[in-house]
Amino acid sequence: MKRAKLPISLALLAAFAVGCSNSGSGTVSEGGASGSPEQKGEVELKFMMWGNQAHMDVYNKLIDGFQKDNPGIRVTMESVPFADYQQKISVLAAGKSLPDVAWVSERMVPQFKENGILGDVSEFKDDAEFKLDDYIPSTLDLFREGDKLLGLPFSTPPVVMFYNKTLFDKAGLTDPNTLAKEGKWTWAEFEKSAQAVASKDAQNRVYGANFFRDWKTWVTLSSYSWSNGSGPFNKEITEFTWNDQYGVETFQMLERMMFTDESHPKAGEQVSFDAGNVAMFFDVYSYVSKAREIKDFEWSIAPTPSGSQGSVPMLGQAGYAMFTDSKHPEEAKKLLKYFASQEGIQATSTYFVPPRTTVLNSDEFINQPNNPSKEHILQAVIGEMPKARILPGHVRWTNIDNAILQGFDRLFGKVMPAEENLKKIAEEVNALMVN
């Protein structure tokens, strides 16, 4: 296949990334000694990510360990805010100055594959010590291209439902985990619970639920259709299919919650789960690193509600990639392999849901301080991951995402009925997919 050239400027992707979308900035140089790597006869590798300072602290330790094991290789780390990340990669690719190893999100991979800038790490399959078979097989799908492996995941967080147990107890409601265990945690039960918990008291306003991390994260709502055997797109991601029965039901549910019973905030309202004014909040599991700081109420996590086909959460994903124009490809592979090893994935599991089975089931991952109970993690995370779906990207994802967001703007403004709105979105998105 002929590769397209990477454009100098790409429209920024709407971020529902992976559960590691906290922004940060700055460059950190490792090694401590004075003098440039060239002067000291060292190989210098550049590693780029979009994490915050806590993430950088973890990687500083990993880089220290890598450098001790690999004398003569020095690693510098740069953190770029997520909103600027893909554009930065585009500019660096055009100037042939990409980093050697970098984080990539599920939204970026189709574009990077199309432009042929991802390096092949298929040889890891033959490294018995690396234990590629420890990875949950489905977590590698994003990085496969034919027989090639073009990267490895490090974060595979399913969307879970964070809930304020204190508010549930106050309203006399059954815990969502109990209902889920009994097969009774349905979308109808979810909507009923949201109504029961909500309070319109101006002094103590409480919303029953919030689907949106910000007002662009519409993809969370895909779970409603997936749980009923449908989805926003067909399997090949060549057609928008959310204008079917279940897409219409999704929009109508959100309209009811926003405008009829007012159990969901309206667009633009600033609310947050950790402030205690939202009873149920949907986000990737990685949000738990922020929820651990909550002191004012009891909280936990539960699976997303079930439809006729059970519960089907969305799976975010972020991974490591090396780029084809690396001046030091063998050393870059060593760094990527070190990060993606069992030891490396264990180190980052403080913040990210690990794709390695051994780490996912380890006490170190499950028993983090202030985590939800082991029982709830097993039910809402580990038990749900085999059912979760990645919403695959598209080379024209930015335009597609914008067209869908315009439809949500019409929903938020009560411009037209759900069926008519989704028909309009389908016309616009399908035109983008064929051109």
Side-chain angles (χ1 to χ4, degrees), residues 72-90:
I73 303 177
R74 181 179 174 186
V75 181
T76 61
M77 175 170 60
E78 181 178 5
S79 181
V80 176
F82 187 85
D84 304 327
Y85 194 86
Q86 183 152 356
Q87 186 178 45
K88 175 93 170 181
I89 292 289
S90 303

Side-chain angles (χ1 to χ4, degrees), residues 39-68:
Q39 290 172 333
K40 297 167 59 183
E42 294 179 331
V43 167
E44 180 181 16
L45 298 178
K46 295 180 180 178
F47 167 55
M48 184 178 289
M49 42 98 89
W50 61 79
N52 60 28
Q53 186 59 51
H55 301 146
M56 293 171 72
D57 291 343
V58 170
Y59 280 95
N60 281 335
K61 292 179 181 178
L62 277 173
I63 289 169
D64 282 344
F66 174 79
Q67 290 178 155
K68 287 175 184 175

